[in-house]
Amino acid sequence: MTSWHDTNIRWFVLVLIGIYPLVVFLVGEFPALLGEQIKQHFQITQKEVNYLLSIRAFPNMIMSLIGGLIIDTFGVGRSYTLFGAVIIFGQCKNLYQRKVLCFISVISDNFAIMVVGRLVFGLFDDSGFVAESYYINKWFKGKENSLAFGIDTGLCRIGSITGAIIYPYIYMSQDSDLSKCLLMCLYISILSFVLIIILTRIDKCSDQRDKITDQKLESVDLRQIKNFSLEFYVALISCATTYSIFFIFGYNCVEMFKLLYKLDQSTANLLFSIPHYISAVLTVFVGHYVDRKGRNIEILLLGGFCQVLAAALFYLMPECDTYCVALPVIGSILIGIFFGTYYAVMWPYIPKIVPSNLVGTGFGLTYACINIEITIFSIIISHILEIENYENYAKMNTLLLFLSFVGFLPLLYLYKFHRTKYHQGNVTKGNEKESESQIELIDRTKSL
């Protein structure tokens, strides 16, 4: 009897898996796309808008790791359902509070409740990413794994692209009513939860049919992370740093494009979308190439180098007196190449360098470290951008350039580590062949 994991149904499962990150990016990125409208509505600055990013990432500094341990302990199906339910609760809370805010903000200009809503929304959203990464590794383990992660990334980027298109449209068509955007987010979140239920049922039926049980830990124990190798922690430093750069820059780039390069809202949103368009397509081809040819560390180096180039370009680019779009487009393309190559390689790489019974914990620790860096550096940048001008955005780009080097250097270590490991493997094989030849020669001599 053929396992469902070996049939075409796994591609349908992949689509169900990809709906969750699509929804989270669609629902979660509206402050980046409506930053100017939020600032005007509440009479705040870019500093407060950055708080919406940091406060969402804050609980995931711990909850992502705990979510991974929950998956390894109680199973991915029940855990994923729990995470999806919390997301809907957070979005409902967000919706209700923000409707109230839209009503009372005229007389009170109260921004704090929106921040609380983002905190609730962020409690388990990255734990859901841990679960979907676990599912991809389970259904595509050893079979087109990088391609599956690439397709999943493409669906994530579709969520960001869709948000860049529909949020400004809904906001303008509904008489500048933020609650209408959030009402749409609630409906989409409920649909996502229904699909999560379908996914977990299909996975459970598949396990029962094939008589498969997931490896589980006996209890939730943070001491399990001591079993991870140095290779994992080096990759973790690179992954957490490069991802925090990507999201922090994306959160501030629209306002930066408008202020420094004199672009209008639609053009700035289009530049915001370019990395997502590129990575949505590129990750699929990169994943397919890695599955067939390998060379994953070299591709990681290429992606990291593109991020360094993009950060250097925005650091060196002066303020424009008139409409200026050419260099921001080049920088956005480089960022798209970075994300399209890096994601398709790094996430399939993590299960290969952690113990098989700690895959969920490995993903959880990775997301936790990403959120730690996002929280810390977004708070720093929010203070830098309290006054929006060229000098302060230059300080932001200086920090991001420094962090891009921090994320790139561990990749050089991984490249050297794998080259040494490959060389040692060839030497070992050569010694084994030489030993076999000597044994054959001895046997022939004895027979003579």
Side-chain angles (χ1 to χ4, degrees):
M1 183 171 59
T2 304
S3 171
W4 283 6
H5 293 76
D6 297 322
T7 64
N8 290 331
I9 195 175
R10 60 199 178 104
W11 297 106
F12 174 69
V13 169
L14 180 62
V15 173
L16 294 178
I17 294 171
I19 294 298
Y20 177 84
L22 185 154
V23 169
V24 170
F25 277 100
L26 175 61
V27 171
E29 291 194 348
F30 81 92
L33 298 167
L34 295 173
E36 183 65 29
Q37 290 83 351
I38 292 174
K39 287 189 291 185
Q40 292 176 359
H41 192 84
F42 296 105
Q43 297 298 307
I44 58 175
T45 66
Q46 190 66 18
K47 173 184 176 180
E48 283 79 13
V49 173
N50 269 280
Y51 285 153
L52 296 178
L53 173 63
S54 59
I55 202 66
R56 175 189 171 188
F58 178 74
N60 284 300
M61 294 191 297
I62 302 298
M63 297 307 297
S64 296
L65 177 57
I66 293 177
L69 288 166
I70 290 173
I71 290 171
D72 286 332
T73 305
F74 299 106
V76 66
R78 286 181 290 180
S79 304
Y80 203 14
T81 305
L82 169 65
F83 303 154
V86 174
I87 289 295
I88 290 184
F89 174 75
Q91 188 58 32
C92 289
K93 189 176 181 67
N94 257 356
L95 178 69
Y96 172 74
Q97 290 172 334
R98 289 175 190 173
K99 278 186 174 179
V100 174
L101 279 174
C102 290
F103 175 74
I104 67 173
S105 62
V106 176
I107 56 175
S108 66
D109 293 326
N110 190 347
F111 183 68
I113 302 179
M114 179 177 281
V115 175
V116 174
R118 291 283 289 183
L119 175 66
V120 174
F121 176 78
L123 282 176
F124 273 114
D125 64 334
D126 273 13
S127 296
F129 285 124
V130 175
E132 56 110 5
S133 299
Y134 188 100
Y135 267 127
I136 293 174
N137 186 64
K138 177 180 179 180
W139 279 81
F140 291 86
K141 189 172 185 178
K143 303 183 294 292
E144 299 155 328
N145 190 260
S146 297
L147 175 61
F149 273 101
I151 295 173
D152 180 68
T153 305
L155 293 172
C156 294
R157 298 306 101 209
I158 289 173
S160 299
I161 293 167
T162 304
I165 295 172
I166 65 174
Y167 279 134
Y169 172 77
I170 294 176
Y171 183 83
M172 295 302 296
S173 64
Q174 298 296 325
D175 297 326
S176 302
D177 187 357
L178 284 173
S179 66
K180 299 298 182 182
C181 298
L182 298 171
L183 181 62
M184 180 203 66
C185 293
L186 175 61
Y187 293 152
I188 295 174
S189 298
I190 294 174
L191 174 62
S192 172
F193 182 73
V194 173
L195 295 178
I196 286 175
I197 298 297
I198 296 173
L199 169 63
T200 55
R201 293 304 303 171
I202 291 176
D203 183 70
K204 184 176 181 179
C205 291
S206 174
D207 288 346
Q208 292 175 346
R209 181 176 182 270
D210 300 332
K211 298 180 180 179
I212 298 174
T213 56
D214 292 330
Q215 291 179 299
K216 297 181 181 179
L217 301 176
E218 294 180 358
S219 62
V220 177
D221 189 355
L222 290 174
R223 291 175 295 180
Q224 297 289 342
I225 64 177
K226 69 182 181 181
N227 297 321
F228 294 151
S229 64
L230 176 62
E231 182 183 4
F232 169 78
Y233 284 108
V234 171
L236 181 63
I237 294 172
S238 175
C239 185
T241 306
T242 55
Y243 267 63
S244 64
I245 296 169
F246 177 82
F247 288 113
I248 290 173
F249 180 81
Y251 223 70
N252 293 279
C253 67
V254 172
E255 297 304 308
M256 185 183 76
F257 291 154
K258 290 160 59 178
L259 178 66
L260 301 189
Y261 310 133
K262 309 302 184 287
L263 304 180
D264 55 46
Q265 181 73 50
S266 60
T267 305
N269 282 349
L270 178 60
L271 289 179
F272 169 86
S273 302
I274 287 177
H276 304 295
Y277 281 112
I278 293 175
S279 59
V281 177
L282 187 58
T283 48
V284 178
F285 291 100
V286 172
H288 182 63
Y289 178 84
V290 171
D291 285 329
R292 296 189 61 186
K293 303 292 185 180
R295 307 187 71 85
N296 52 349
I297 303 301
E298 289 86 347
I299 295 176
L300 284 176
L301 276 172
L302 172 63
F305 184 67
C306 286
Q307 187 179 59
V308 172
L309 285 179
L313 179 65
F314 287 113
Y315 168 74
L316 295 172
M317 187 174 177
E319 183 178 8
C320 298
D321 295 327
T322 58
Y323 187 89
C324 180
V325 73
L327 289 179
V329 167
I330 295 174
S332 298
I333 291 173
L334 288 172
I335 294 173
I337 295 174
F338 151 73
F339 200 78
T341 54
Y342 198 95
Y343 189 101
V345 177
M346 179 56 76
W347 294 107
Y349 178 63
I350 290 175
K352 298 177 182 178
I353 55 178
V354 299
S356 59
N357 64 328
L358 292 173
V359 173
T361 305
F363 282 125
L365 182 58
T366 304
Y367 278 109
C369 291
I370 290 173
N371 283 284
I372 288 173
E373 293 205 18
I374 288 177
T375 302
I376 293 173
F377 292 118
S378 62
I379 291 175
I380 293 173
I381 288 176
S382 69
H383 286 283
I384 293 174
L385 297 179
E386 186 170 1
I387 299 176
E388 292 183 78
N389 54 37
Y390 172 76
E391 289 75 19
N392 288 337
Y393 273 110
K395 292 177 182 178
M396 181 193 78
N397 288 325
T398 302
L399 176 60
L400 296 183
L401 177 61
F402 170 75
L403 292 176
S404 66
F405 279 107
V406 174
F408 182 71
L409 291 177
L411 298 178
L412 295 175
Y413 172 85
L414 291 177
Y415 177 76
K416 182 179 179 181
F417 174 80
H418 278 266
R419 292 296 297 177
T420 304
K421 189 176 179 180
Y422 177 78
H423 176 72
Q424 291 175 347
N426 286 341
V427 171
T428 302
K429 289 180 181 179
N431 291 337
E432 289 176 353
K433 290 182 179 179
E434 184 177 351
S435 300
E436 291 175 358
S437 299
Q438 291 177 354
I439 292 173
E440 290 179 0
L441 180 61
I442 292 172
D443 290 338
R444 290 178 182 175
T445 303
K446 286 181 179 180
S447 63
L448 289 174

